Amino acid sequence: MNSSATRIPTDSSVATADDTVAMPLDEVLRHANAIIANVESVIAGKHAAVRTALTVLLAEGHLLIEDVPGVGKTMLAKALAKSVDSTVSRIQFTPDLLPSDVTGVSMYNQAERRFEFKPGAVFANIVIGDEINRASPKTQSALLECMEERQVTVDGTTYLLSTPFTVVATQNPIEMEGTYALPEAQRDRFMARISMGYPDTENEVEMLNTRDVTSPLEQIGAVVDLEQLRAMMSSARGVFAAPGVKEYAVALVRATRDDRDLRLGGSPRATLQLIRAAKAHAALQGRDFVLPDDIDDLAVAVLGHRLVPTSRALGHHHQDSSALIEEIVLRIVSETPVPLGNQKRS
């Protein structure tokens, strides 16, 4: 990146998070329940996935939804986006998608005889990236700066993205034809990864009854506005994490780096995002402090997609890597000592 690049906000919605006044936790809980109910009117029987998606949104992170086609990955992303009165864009990732389609491009204006920047689809509060691993690695990498630094650099000029900014991306399992595995550097920028799974019999029958004529997405609207969402994020950011809880999170991540079944463990970014997610998780429980249980509940979602098992571990277990990694993370959680004492703010 050019160190002398000009930083230009693209619209008036760019603001620092510190400008927002935090919302009382009882109001956070009320608005959060309204969002969850709104999404669950579209996605039935997936409460854990919906709750984790909202946790990532409030923690100002990015979410990766990985599963087989047709189980509601994009539906969840759209329902979450429609629940908030914010700017939303959708990118359908395909092999012929160009990086400039994502970030934007400078075009020459013949009338004014100067170059003008045309913002790409990434300039929105919530960006839905559909089937992200069907695009080429070059296009996938266009999101790296956006996701980490909330900015885009084109032709030496840096353009700030709106606040808040969240990427909700879906991907198919990497074993499926026509997919390109996300590089480790990009997976690490997602705060959490979740899977939808197949619906149970009751919910699948209900889906046939309710979606025969219309899409349930057409029946829902926003239940919180952008300022309320920013206030909820500020409240989550202000949740207290005691030193013992932080040390516990560090111990978990460090254990992944030394585990015999992993050749790549969690990065320092993973530790930071685990704490951020745990704060949002606590806020959704109506607490202003983090417990070790918050860390445990999020360990698989936050750490799983960042870890790479050894070939020996894969060969021994005869199972796909995601199931194996979940097993490894749960083992590490069970083996890591939990800090003693009251973790509540005094």
Side-chain angles (χ1 to χ4, degrees), residues 131-204:
E131 296 186 305
I132 188 173
N133 60 338
R134 291 203 181 277
S136 67
K138 183 177 182 180
T139 301
Q140 291 175 5
S141 65
L143 283 172
L144 289 176
E145 181 186 12
C146 309
M147 295 173 66
E148 180 65 17
E149 302 177 45
R150 266 68 172 179
Q151 64 184 33
V152 169
T153 302
V154 177
D155 294 336
T157 301
T158 299
Y159 303 90
L160 302 181
L161 297 175
S162 300
T163 300
F165 170 70
T166 293
V167 174
V168 182
T170 70
Q171 74 168 1
N172 297 309
I174 59 174
E175 295 82 6
M176 301 195 74
E177 184 177 355
T179 61
Y180 302 84
L182 295 181
E184 288 81 358
Q186 184 149 356
R187 292 205 309 268
D188 197 41
R189 281 163 168 78
F190 285 99
M191 176 173 282
R193 178 187 65 182
I194 61 175
S195 296
M196 300 295 293
Y198 291 111
D200 57 30
T201 302
E202 180 180 352
N203 285 312
E204 193 161 4

Side-chain angles (χ1 to χ4, degrees), residues 203-225:
N203 285 312
E204 193 161 4
V205 170
E206 181 64 20
M207 179 186 69
L208 297 178
N209 295 331
T210 58
R211 301 187 189 180
D212 189 30
V213 179
T214 61
S215 169
L217 277 173
E218 300 174 359
Q219 310 301 320
I220 67 171
V223 293
V224 299
D225 60 33

Side-chain angles (χ1 to χ4, degrees), residues 261-287:
D261 291 328
L262 297 173
R263 63 181 178 86
L264 179 65
S267 67
R269 184 189 286 117
T271 313
L272 179 62
Q273 296 198 348
L274 183 58
I275 288 294
R276 286 178 177 172
K279 288 183 176 184
H281 189 271
L284 290 178
Q285 307 289 329
R287 282 185 279 105

Side-chain angles (χ1 to χ4, degrees), residues 223-293:
V223 293
V224 299
D225 60 33
L226 196 55
E227 288 306 314
Q228 289 171 327
L229 178 62
R230 286 175 177 154
M232 292 171 71
M233 290 176 169
S234 182
S235 300
R237 196 165 49 247
V239 169
F240 176 70
V245 171
K246 294 179 180 179
E247 292 169 5
Y248 178 57
V250 170
L252 282 179
V253 177
R254 291 184 66 87
T256 66
R257 302 170 193 166
D258 300 327
D259 193 86
R260 63 186 182 276
D261 291 328
L262 297 173
R263 63 181 178 86
L264 179 65
S267 67
R269 184 189 286 117
T271 313
L272 179 62
Q273 296 198 348
L274 183 58
I275 288 294
R276 286 178 177 172
K279 288 183 176 184
H281 189 271
L284 290 178
Q285 307 289 329
R287 282 185 279 105
D288 63 352
F289 58 94
V290 178
L291 292 174
D293 287 348

Side-chain angles (χ1 to χ4, degrees), residues 37-49:
N38 206 43
V39 176
E40 288 187 334
S41 68
V42 177
I43 305 290
K46 301 297 176 184
H47 183 74

